[in-house]
Amino acid sequence: MTETTFFVSAPGKIIIFGEHSAVYGKPAIAAALSLRAYLQVSRNDNENEITLKFPDIDLSYTWNKHDIPWTEIRKFITYENGKPVTTEELVPEIVDKISNLLGDIPSRTHFTTCLSFLYLYTHLCTEDVPGNTFCIRSTLPIGAGLGSSASTGVCLAAALSVLSGKINSPTTSIHDKSSKDETHQLEFIDNWSLMGEKCFHGNPSGIDNAVATYGGAVMFQRVSVPSQPSIRTTMRNFPSMKLLLTNTKIPRSTADLVGGVAKRNSEYPKLTSPILDAMGNLASEAYKIMTAPEFGHVELETLRELVEINHGLLVAIGVSHPALEKVKVIADINKIGATKLTGAGGGGCAITLIDESSPIESIHKAINEFGREGFDSFETSLGGKGVAMLTKHDVSEENRNVVFSLEEFSALKDSISIEHQIGTSGTNNWKYW
Ligand SMILES: Nc1ncnc2c1ncn2[C@@H]1O[C@H](COP(=O)(O)OP(=O)(O)O)[C@@H](O)[C@H]1O
Ligand SMILES: C[C@@](O)(CCOP(=O)(O)O)CC(=O)O
Ligand SMILES: [Mg+2]
């Protein structure tokens, strides 16, 4: 049965080791956060209209589905068993046709967001799918290194695939299962969300999408042979670590930073290449330590050292920012642990792997100093669940009208009210693929 109103949700992530080098096929380690993106899909009265309502980034657009050149676009799509097949690169002819539809969108962010949506829509849906409103709200800071783009892409890929019957809705609230059918559906979501991420920056490693799809913690390695799947090793016994996340709130674009590293790599290949190799070796070393049967103080101390080294290497490829260095200096002066930037850098967030022997007063002092600089700091819990779906059947009758009111959802003021109304940790009975 096709639902006419539903939610899909997917988590953000923290890259603990190996951002940027992940793009160059080196191993990296990341874990899902409890912060998530939530997408509500609801049928439009006018079924010819496709509407985007993304209040978090002040974006609101409507297209008539008959304005999409479906036949022209389909000529460039390959299907296997009725399902579209992903490609190594975005198909330029399809990007052109979608760009023509977007002609007069002035903001670069809005343009890319709409391109990413329509790229997925034209591959995963057909003109027969009735028009819907797609409304996204996120409890993640956007553009801060915590993978909001991938969690958005995962929500869209999952929702569009359900709408067009490419995958089934999930049926169980038990997350940790490995039925073959479910695995195929998750793979489908992961692969298509990666095409959405490619619209944001041409060359994503896929680590963010993998974490947003599957949740938990992973060691991830992109395989450079086209059409070979990436290596994704689930880290089930991820060690418990005290992590402080600090958001400098300096805006930046992942696309620009990934492009900057590519430029440095082409200008100084002999210098950059060993740095990227070192980052990969560092992530492999960290993986061994994190999965060792004995994990205690000594291992944590080694991990802190690796965090320090990883940050230094990221500085060397040009992706830090004075504000991120300020976070590091404050954490170092107060001796609270080891700090590195996380995600694309250039602003956004840093993580501090807290030294468990540092006095609580020092941690509070550092947090106060971060606050004085205008940064937000909070302790995070890792290992959030992967992509999930919520339908009317999963919510008690008395709550349904509030939970599924598009007007209320789009107007929710902050993360706390989003979590409270529809969050995965509340009373609503989310289902997992
Ligand atoms: N809640 C949201 N609503 C709409 N678009 C979003 C949302 N969250 C993320 N995005 C998209 O992702 C982009 C940010 O991605 P990116 O620069 O990769 O940073 P990050 O993934 O670290 O947050 C935004 O500009 C927007 O296009
Ligand atoms: C820099 C990179 O390693 C991570 C980017 O993450 P974010 O968009 O900053 O959350 C790029 C990638 O792996 O695709
Ligand atoms: Mg991103």
Side-chain angles (χ1 to χ4, degrees):
M1 187 187 61
T2 311
E3 301 292 340
T4 52
T5 302
F6 60 91
F7 283 99
V8 178
S9 164
K13 59 86 229 251
I14 287 189
I15 298 183
I16 306 186
F17 296 107
E19 47 278 273
H20 287 290
S21 43
V23 171
Y24 296 83
K26 317 294 176 200
I29 296 174
L33 281 167
S34 53
L35 306 174
R36 305 176 72 91
Y38 295 91
L39 161 68
Q40 180 173 15
V41 180
S42 46
R43 183 73 60 85
N44 281 340
D45 292 338
N46 179 347
E47 296 197 347
N48 288 330
E49 281 182 354
I50 303 164
T51 307
L52 289 194
K53 219 179 211 219
F54 293 172
D56 296 344
I57 60 163
D58 288 323
L59 183 157
S60 178
Y61 281 100
T62 296
W63 297 280
N64 186 311
K65 69 176 180 182
H66 298 300
D67 289 339
I68 295 173
W70 292 102
T71 321
E72 290 291 299
I73 286 176
R74 258 197 300 271
K75 281 186 204 154
F76 296 97
I77 303 177
T78 309
Y79 294 87
E80 257 171 34
N81 303 321
K83 293 185 185 182
V85 180
T86 54
T87 49
E88 202 47 35
E89 312 266 342
L90 297 175
V91 180
E93 290 84 354
I94 298 180
V95 172
D96 269 359
K97 291 186 193 323
I98 295 172
S99 302
N100 288 341
L101 262 181
L102 300 179
D104 57 350
I105 295 181
S107 143
R108 178 184 163 198
T109 304
H110 285 188
F111 184 91
T112 318
T113 312
C114 291
L115 171 70
S116 175
F117 171 80
L118 284 177
Y119 199 90
L120 295 183
Y121 196 91
T122 50
H123 282 81
L124 295 170
C125 291
T126 61
E127 53 271 60
D128 303 332
V129 173
N132 287 281
T133 291
F134 298 84
C135 179
I136 296 185
R137 302 301 312 275
S138 186
T139 63
L140 284 155
I142 296 164
L146 303 183
S148 75
S149 57
S151 57
T152 300
V154 167
C155 288
L156 287 171
L160 297 173
S161 305
V162 166
L163 276 176
S164 59
K166 302 277 186 302
I167 63 170
N168 298 323
S169 304
T171 51
T172 164
S173 45
I174 302 162
H175 174 59
D176 206 10
K177 60 192 164 4
S178 49
S179 115
K180 235 186 166 154
D181 199 30
E182 251 93 38
T183 311
H184 281 142
Q185 315 221 36
L186 284 171
E187 262 170 36
F188 192 77
I189 297 170
D190 185 10
N191 290 340
W192 274 102
S193 72
L194 186 59
M195 296 311 292
E197 186 82 341
K198 283 181 186 182
C199 296
F200 286 108
H201 66 108
N203 198 11
S205 66
I207 189 168
D208 290 11
N209 302 76
V211 174
T213 305
Y214 296 92
V218 288
M219 157 100 146
F220 180 95
Q221 188 166 13
R222 178 187 197 177
V223 175
S224 51
V225 184
S227 79
Q228 286 282 311
S230 299
I231 302 164
R232 190 176 47 81
T233 311
T234 307
M235 295 172 72
R236 282 192 205 288
N237 298 320
F238 201 72
S240 99
M241 301 180 294
K242 213 168 156 183
L243 273 186
L244 188 69
L245 187 59
T246 304
N247 185 0
T248 63
K249 301 194 212 153
I250 303 289
R252 87 297 173 284
S253 130
T254 299
D256 293 346
L257 287 144
V258 171
V261 174
K263 184 165 175 278
R264 195 164 275 196
N265 194 31
S266 71
E267 284 169 357
Y268 306 101
K270 283 192 182 152
L271 306 184
T272 311
S273 176
I275 298 176
L276 297 169
D277 282 341
M279 288 177 175
N281 293 336
L282 187 149
S284 303
E285 197 62 37
Y287 178 78
K288 273 191 232 145
I289 295 164
M290 287 169 136
T291 50
E294 300 282 316
F295 186 90
H297 296 303
V298 179
E299 286 71 22
L300 267 172
E301 201 175 322
T302 315
L303 283 188
R304 282 198 295 276
E305 235 175 300
L306 295 182
V307 165
E308 301 278 357
I309 299 171
N310 201 164
H311 182 74
L313 296 171
L314 287 160
V315 172
I317 56 166
V319 296
S320 191
H321 182 277
L324 289 165
E325 294 308 311
K326 225 173 238 175
V327 175
K328 191 164 165 52
V329 167
I330 292 173
D332 287 354
I333 287 177
N334 287 289
K335 299 192 172 68
I336 62 168
T339 301
K340 70 179 268 293
L341 68 86
T342 188
C349 291
I351 49 170
T352 303
L353 180 51
I354 297 289
D355 182 342
E356 65 286 14
S357 67
S358 71
I360 192 76
E361 297 76 31
S362 306
I363 299 174
H364 286 157
K365 186 162 168 282
I367 291 175
N368 280 336
E369 289 176 32
F370 292 147
R372 277 202 292 279
E373 295 292 340
F375 308 156
D376 279 347
S377 293
F378 43 97
E379 233 186 88
T380 49
S381 55
L382 296 181
K385 290 176 177 180
V387 60
M389 181 167 167
L390 186 78
T391 69
K392 290 198 167 163
H393 313 287
D394 306 321
V395 176
S396 66
E397 245 172 81
E398 73 259 35
N399 286 340
R400 258 178 220 170
N401 284 345
V402 176
V403 169
F404 288 93
S405 154
L406 175 60
E407 211 176 309
E408 296 224 12
F409 178 62
S410 59
L412 288 169
K413 288 269 174 300
D414 51 29
S415 301
I416 295 169
S417 41
I418 296 173
E419 256 316 311
H420 179 74
Q421 185 157 320
I422 52 160
T424 48
S425 53
T427 50
N428 302 325
N429 192 15
W430 287 79
K431 299 285 194 315
Y432 297 88
W433 278 275

